[in-house]
Amino acid sequence: MSSGIASLLDRKVHDRDDILALLQCSEDEAPLLYRRAAAVRDRYVGNHVYLRGLIEYSNICGKNCLYCGVRRDNVRIERYTLTREEVLEAAMTAYNLKLGSLAIQSGENSSKAFIDTIEELVSTICRMTDNRLGITLSLGEQSRETYKRWYDAGAHRYLLRIEASSQALYRRVHPDDDMHRYQRRLDCLKAIQDTGYQTGTGVMVGLPYQTMSDLADDVIFMRDFDIDMCGMGPFIEHSDTPLGERGTDNLFLKERFNLTLRMIAIVRIIMKDINIVASTAMQTIDPAGREKAISCGANVVMPNLTPARYRAGYQIYEGKPGYREVNESNVSGLNLDLIPGITLGLGTWGDTPHYGRRLTGKR
Ligand code: 5AD
Ligand code: SF4
């Protein structure tokens, strides 16, 4: 495996074996992979990091994913939903700080009230900001009609992680019932893409039972789906969940962290011009985690704008940073000294060339 990833990196097209070799390359060789990925990012989407102000709208969730602290059966968290005013205030903060776009995330809820409220919020935010603030939604599995209504209201990106592209692994980390079917998730992802959204997906890295082969297949899944955005993060145990009892071992977490860096770099090299998030879960394991992800090819960060008093309620995994990181003197929360050559893409939606090319069919 160590006989030079350099020649492998020079190939124009990478197959599954190449992906596996890169995932498993030696620690000595990994910096070469990372540097190549950063160079691909700079060449295809520029040396900018785009910002999405994150609003964690509600932690009320109808699902029961075995890994997640917000799952329905976790009675140890207090459930909240932001008020309309709180959402609009956070949106104006994003606008005034020139973050360029907003991401609204929430536990899964398909009630009529929820759907109507989101629709109204999206159109109000578009109106208030003269359509100058891009809106990403990450509100789980919904009907085609709902996706369309939110799109027509003005949202133009949607993020729905497939979580695990292997159907067998998906089953192992979700309850075996109709609310948690792999096929339904896949259908939703397709519906999102069909509706016209810039479509994002991603996986958790280091899930129990996950193999290197699964991760290689995840990369191929994302490539074949022709996604526009990718969000991946290391799995981090939450003790109030069924998968939280495995015991947290720092070394193991560090391995998941390093594996996530490799996944980011590989996805960048293979998909070149998509947006890739440096996730908060990376920062949870390593305070400089997001900066490291950017050094490996990521180009988006999501500074958290959720009002501070709700933060404890959105502990998807343990140790998620709860402080308010955004202010006028540091809108990204990043330590830019750690990522030389990177500039912040302020005041722009931060779209990539990929989406436009996907629509026109040009490669
Ligand atoms: N560790 C890391 N990421 C998690 N997510 C949920 N639970 C965990 C966990 N324990 C991720 C999922 C989900 C996103 C909102 O958070 O990928 O899509
Ligand atoms: Fe709900 Fe998402 Fe957590 Fe699953 S991962 S329990 S859908 S918030």
Side-chain angles (χ1 to χ4, degrees):
M1 208 69 72
S2 63
S3 64
I5 61 164
S7 62
L8 215 167
L9 286 171
D10 283 338
R11 286 185 191 157
K12 288 225 155 40
V13 179
H14 296 95
D15 63 15
R16 195 174 178 284
D17 287 343
D18 297 343
I19 296 170
L20 265 177
L22 292 172
L23 276 171
Q24 293 173 293
C25 76
S26 70
E27 275 302 305
D28 288 350
E29 286 182 307
L32 194 60
L33 168 66
Y34 300 157
R35 278 200 302 275
R36 177 63 64 98
V40 170
R41 191 250 341 271
D42 291 354
R43 177 161 170 210
Y44 286 86
V45 294
N47 59 341
H48 317 292
V49 167
Y50 296 108
L51 306 174
R52 321 269 180 248
L54 175 65
I55 301 178
E56 293 159 330
Y57 173 64
S58 171
N59 67 353
I60 295 173
C61 186
K63 291 182 81 176
N64 234 345
C65 306
L66 301 181
Y67 41 81
C68 178
V70 171
R71 66 198 302 272
R72 191 183 66 218
D73 284 358
N74 183 9
V75 293
R76 298 184 66 169
I77 58 170
E78 212 179 305
R79 303 287 165 170
Y80 73 83
T81 300
L82 299 193
T83 63
R84 181 173 188 274
E85 288 63 39
E86 285 167 334
V87 174
L88 297 182
E89 194 190 322
M92 286 319 286
T93 302
Y95 183 65
N96 293 332
L97 292 177
K98 298 194 169 26
L99 301 193
S101 75
L102 201 64
I104 305 177
Q105 205 174 74
S106 175
E108 211 170 286
N109 185 339
S110 303
S111 68
K112 182 176 181 313
F114 181 85
I115 294 167
D116 292 348
T117 304
I118 295 292
E119 183 180 43
E120 195 273 330
L121 282 170
V122 169
S123 57
T124 303
I125 293 168
C126 287
R127 208 173 46 246
M128 276 173 33
T129 61
D130 228 356
N131 286 321
R132 272 182 289 190
L133 197 59
I135 301 182
T136 307
L137 298 180
S138 185
L139 306 171
E141 295 171 27
Q142 304 287 345
S143 68
R144 277 188 178 252
E145 186 207 344
T146 300
Y147 288 138
K148 175 87 167 64
R149 276 177 59 189
W150 292 343
Y151 185 82
D152 290 343
H156 66 118
R157 302 188 182 109
Y158 205 105
L159 197 59
L160 183 78
R161 289 189 180 179
I162 191 74
E163 313 295 2
S165 71
S166 147
Q167 194 159 354
L169 179 58
Y170 191 92
R171 276 193 76 149
R172 294 190 83 162
V173 298
H174 294 96
D176 183 16
D177 62 36
D178 283 345
M179 273 211 99
H180 300 85
R181 295 280 175 240
Y182 178 84
Q183 191 57 45
R184 181 170 140 82
R185 199 151 186 91
L186 201 56
D187 292 345
C188 283
L189 199 56
K190 189 83 188 85
I192 289 163
Q193 200 175 48
D194 291 346
T195 303
Y197 287 100
Q198 294 180 40
T199 303
T201 193
V203 297
M204 281 174 283
V205 179
L207 279 169
Y209 323 113
Q210 190 180 46
T211 64
M212 288 289 177
S213 176
D214 288 331
L215 289 171
D217 288 337
D218 287 337
V219 176
I220 289 173
F221 172 87
M222 292 188 267
R223 182 197 65 193
D224 292 350
F225 210 93
D226 208 9
I227 56 167
D228 306 296
M229 321 180 290
C230 174
M232 295 184 291
F235 165 67
I236 302 171
E237 285 89 349
H238 190 299
S239 57
D240 297 326
T241 66
L243 292 178
E245 277 158 26
R246 238 168 147 241
T248 308
D249 159 341
N250 272 335
L251 199 70
F252 198 23
L253 272 185
K254 185 91 189 123
E255 278 164 14
R256 293 179 214 170
F257 179 88
N258 288 335
L259 209 47
T260 310
L261 291 181
R262 286 168 189 228
M263 283 291 281
I264 289 172
I266 294 167
V267 168
R268 171 59 70 199
I269 287 168
I270 288 185
M271 301 203 59
K272 297 193 173 32
D273 61 357
I274 64 169
N275 278 334
I276 304 180
V277 183
S279 67
T280 310
M282 297 294 276
Q283 187 191 11
T284 305
I285 295 183
D286 179 336
R290 294 184 307 178
E291 288 82 354
K292 289 182 184 173
I294 291 163
S295 304
C296 296
N299 70 326
V300 171
V301 296
M302 298 168 66
N304 199 337
L305 298 176
T306 310
R309 66 180 172 285
Y310 297 113
R311 300 285 178 95
Y314 216 85
Q315 293 271 320
I316 293 170
Y317 42 81
E318 258 156 271
K320 188 165 164 279
Y323 47 85
R324 192 176 182 95
E325 60 184 359
V326 182
N327 57 52
E328 268 158 42
S329 61
N330 183 357
V331 292
S332 66
L334 289 172
N335 183 349
L336 289 170
D337 291 345
L338 297 179
I339 27 177
I342 286 287
T343 59
L344 292 181
L346 291 178
T348 143
W349 280 18
D351 288 343
T352 69
H354 184 89
Y355 176 68
R357 276 228 319 278
R358 179 160 71 71
L359 291 185
T360 55
K362 290 197 195 108
R363 290 280 121 199

